[in-house]
Amino acid sequence: MQNLEQLFQEAHQKASNTSKKLPPDIMLRIYAYYKQATLEYNDYFEQDEIDLVRAFKFNAWNQVSHLTQDEAKKLYIELINSLNL
């Protein structure tokens, strides 16, 4: 069986290379899981620099901040695979 990191990298390649148009809410979930999987949660955005798009991205990431990096990787993989990219 493949290890988590390899599966995560394969899912990231699928997501990065797709030409499929995805709904904004799915894109935000993909973003949030990826950020949580690759970086520990922190105060990445300074409040005075947040525009609307960044605010949505930050909010999506904040909603998954309770996940460990491995949990976020697993959810990212499941989401990407469910999209049949």
Side-chain angles (χ1 to χ4, degrees):
M1 179 173 226
Q2 296 174 314
N3 68 28
L4 180 61
E5 191 59 38
Q6 184 178 357
L7 292 171
F8 179 72
Q9 292 304 321
E10 289 172 5
H12 182 254
Q13 287 295 343
K14 285 181 192 176
S16 297
N17 295 325
T18 188
S19 58
K20 190 174 184 179
K21 179 81 171 148
L22 300 172
D25 62 318
I26 299 297
M27 295 291 291
L28 283 171
R29 271 202 294 160
I30 291 169
Y31 171 85
Y33 290 148
Y34 183 82
K35 286 301 255 185
Q36 189 65 17
T38 58
L39 298 172
E40 289 187 24
Y41 179 80
N42 60 25
D43 293 325
Y44 184 74
F45 300 101
E46 293 183 27
Q47 292 298 323
D48 59 344
E49 295 181 8
I50 295 181
D51 59 22
L52 187 57
V53 172
R54 282 181 154 172
F56 278 107
K57 286 181 173 182
F58 179 77
N59 185 48
W61 186 13
N62 192 42
Q63 290 179 21
V64 300
S65 65
H66 66 283
L67 300 172
T68 66
Q69 287 182 305
D70 283 350
E71 290 170 333
K73 285 179 183 179
K74 289 175 186 174
L75 289 170
Y76 181 91
I77 293 164
E78 289 174 13
L79 178 57
I80 296 302
N81 289 339
S82 75
L83 296 171
N84 298 316
L85 301 180

